[in-house]
């Protein structure tokens, strides 16, 4: 977990969440990370994914940080 994300999640701080992204066919976590400028570790932490998880599927909703 990213040190900046963990305290916010533990407090239930929802103000850090910018948007929900709906995964499209062909998307990867890396491409989403690069497009929105959000580190992979932050995407994984906010979406309760394992540290090395890369599996996403079209239609899946991902929360992204500011």
């Amino acid at each position: 977990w990213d040190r900046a994300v963990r305290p916010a999640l533990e407090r239930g701080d929802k103000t850090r969440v910018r948007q929900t992204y709906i995964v499209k066919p062909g998307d990867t976590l890396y491409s989403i990370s690069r497009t929105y400028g959000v580190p992979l570790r932050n995407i994984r932490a906010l979406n309760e994914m394992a540290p090395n998880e890369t599996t996403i599927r079209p239609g899946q909703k991902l929360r992204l940080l500011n």
Side-chain angles (χ1 to χ4, degrees):
W1 287 66
D2 182 275
R3 286 186 216 163
V5 174
R6 183 188 300 254
L9 292 177
E10 288 174 354
R11 285 192 314 269
D13 183 358
K14 304 290 187 206
T15 61
R16 292 177 54 88
V17 177
R18 177 181 69 195
Q19 66 185 40
T20 300
Y21 178 78
I22 307 297
V23 177
K24 296 175 183 64
D27 281 344
T28 65
L29 280 179
Y30 180 76
S31 68
I32 295 166
S33 170
R34 299 282 295 183
T35 298
Y36 292 96
V38 180
L40 284 172
R41 68 180 177 273
N42 291 7
I43 294 173
R44 288 182 179 122
L46 192 58
N47 291 281
E48 300 178 5
M49 300 172 80
N52 294 319
E53 187 172 349
T54 59
T55 304
I56 56 175
R57 55 191 185 285
Q60 181 176 350
K61 293 180 184 178
L62 294 176
R63 294 184 290 172
L64 305 177
L65 293 177
N66 294 6

